Amino acid sequence: MKVLVSWLHEIVPIPVGIEELADALTMRGFEVSAIEAVPTALKSQSSNEPSDAVLDLEITTNRPDCLGMVGVAREVATIYNVTVTLPTTSPVASDGERFPVTIEEDVQQLCTRYAATTLNVQVRPSPTWLTKRLEASDIRPINNVVDVTNYVMLEYGHPMHAFDLEQLTGHEIRIRLAQSGESIRTLDGEIRTLSSDTLVIADAKRPQAIAGIMGGADSEVTTSTTRILLESAHFDPISVRLTGKRLALSTDASYRFERGTDIEAPVQAMRRALHLLLQIEATNSTEQITDTYPAQWTPPQITLRHSRIGRVLG
């Protein structure tokens, strides 16, 4: 994972230099395989900013929580005993129509939570500060709406997706298994034939995305899009991994979903995306979030006891 130090610094204070930070992360199991110079085109013109670099972190499969800036920031906070400041989010609208979302009963273990909202948007190029951060993380900017979903993925480690709402038949979303032989043209332009154990995000008639992996080209957000459906969901890691392997398809989103994302993250990521879309004037208002959460996860309760010398055992 590519970590832009100046971006990380906005979330957590870093009281040491870049080399020392890299050494500290490596010693705690997050190997920094390279410290890369920030490309000249990405550097700020301000002489007041601290020195910058891109850290190439090797994140082990058991730490999917660190596949985003916030997760890495929490590790830095524990190393140096400093405080994390989470990115600003927008409050959830309390009124307005909820977009109809159905998670079919037989797939509720594969899609355990699905948050969605609709927005009027003006699709245009993203501001320079946003595109620079995406490029530093090896992600190609596309447009302001898609770029925000990728930005939030890099920030929180939680993938999102945006659909052109006018291309969704029936004004609804249905999470279901594909019918055998059903096909979808994905965003990479390939037509992919789906098996009956492939989880899809469908409208009233056909699949519009392969869940957790890639969206469909027919509902892609383009410069002609005026209204979107924004998705933030939690998918079963094994289902995503098996589907990706079967289709020989791997993406930044599937990389995270198949390692396990936080089931409590969808609404938080959605609120962050809404704040950014308002900030860059891609939209001028937000609507209520539909949060479909069939079986709410209960955090385990762990009781710790003190040892004879007074330290907590874990």
Side-chain angles (χ1 to χ4, degrees):
M1 175 179 163
K2 299 293 183 73
V3 174
L4 184 64
V5 174
S6 58
W7 187 357
L8 184 65
H9 199 278
E10 289 184 4
I11 304 172
V12 63
I14 304 172
V16 296
I18 291 170
E19 293 277 355
E20 187 174 340
L21 172 64
D23 289 342
L25 288 168
T26 297
M27 292 299 293
R28 285 159 178 82
F30 301 93
E31 180 185 355
V32 178
S33 60
I35 301 176
E36 302 172 0
V38 177
T40 303
L42 304 183
K43 289 182 179 178
S44 169
Q45 299 301 311
S46 171
S47 59
N48 297 323
E49 292 203 0
S51 58
D52 205 358
V54 177
L55 305 182
D56 192 349
L57 265 64
E58 301 291 337
I59 306 297
T60 54
T61 56
N62 65 321
R63 293 303 307 270
D65 58 303
C66 289
L67 288 172
M69 289 286 180
V70 169
V72 176
R74 290 189 176 114
E75 294 300 314
V76 173
T78 62
I79 294 171
Y80 298 110
N81 194 28
V82 292
T83 302
V84 169
T85 301
L86 292 177
T88 305
T89 60
S90 286
V92 178
S94 58
D95 55 5
E97 182 182 354
R98 289 181 182 270
F99 190 85
V101 172
T102 301
I103 305 175
E104 294 192 351
E105 189 173 352
D106 60 338
V107 301
Q108 289 181 2
Q109 296 301 312
L110 305 182
C111 178
T112 46
R113 191 173 189 179
Y114 191 95
T117 191
T118 55
L119 294 167
N120 294 323
V121 293
Q122 292 183 314
V123 181
R124 55 170 74 102
S126 295
T128 303
W129 67 265
L130 199 158
T131 61
K132 284 182 176 181
R133 289 187 171 184
L134 294 181
E135 289 167 353
S137 302
D138 288 343
I139 290 185
R140 177 176 61 89
I142 297 174
N143 59 54
N144 52 359
V145 172
V146 176
D147 292 349
V148 161
T149 65
N150 285 329
Y151 188 93
V152 173
M153 177 185 69
L154 293 173
E155 205 167 46
Y156 276 95
H158 193 84
M160 301 182 67
H161 185 66
F163 301 89
D164 185 327
L165 184 60
E166 301 307 319
Q167 305 306 315
L168 301 182
T169 303
H171 195 72
E172 70 169 299
I173 281 292
R174 186 169 293 274
I175 298 95
R176 61 172 174 83
L177 292 175
Q179 299 171 11
S180 184
E182 236 178 350
S183 64
I184 181 174
R185 183 167 64 95
T186 46
L187 287 169
D188 57 2
E190 296 290 327
I191 296 178
R192 301 181 186 276
T193 301
L194 308 174
S195 60
S196 59
D197 54 357
T198 301
L199 187 68
V200 297
I201 312 301
D203 59 17
K205 288 189 176 181
R206 64 191 190 282
Q208 293 289 353
I210 303 171
I213 300 178
M214 186 177 283
D218 291 345
S219 54
E220 178 181 8
V221 174
T222 68
T223 52
S224 61
T225 300
T226 58
R227 192 158 172 78
I228 65 166
L229 174 73
L230 195 60
E231 164 195 286
S232 183
H234 182 270
F235 300 112
D236 175 67
I238 295 175
S239 173
V240 174
R241 184 161 55 248
L242 291 177
T243 298
K245 185 176 181 180
R246 187 165 53 247
L247 295 174
L249 184 59
S250 179
T251 61
D252 289 318
S254 66
Y255 182 84
R256 288 164 171 81
F257 278 125
E258 67 187 25
R259 283 159 177 77
T261 56
D262 182 2
I263 197 170
E264 294 300 315
V267 171
Q268 185 180 34
M270 179 78 75
R271 291 177 58 201
R272 175 58 175 162
L274 294 177
H275 174 82
L276 289 167
L277 289 167
L278 287 166
Q279 179 183 337
I280 66 174
E281 299 181 342
T283 188
N284 56 19
S285 65
T286 62
E287 299 184 20
Q288 194 168 21
I289 295 173
T290 300
D291 184 15
T292 307
Y293 197 177
Q296 294 205 8
W297 177 74
T298 302
Q301 299 293 318
I302 301 173
T303 301
L304 301 178
R305 61 184 177 84
H306 289 276
S307 71
R308 285 178 296 179
I309 59 174
R311 294 179 182 174
V312 174
L313 299 178

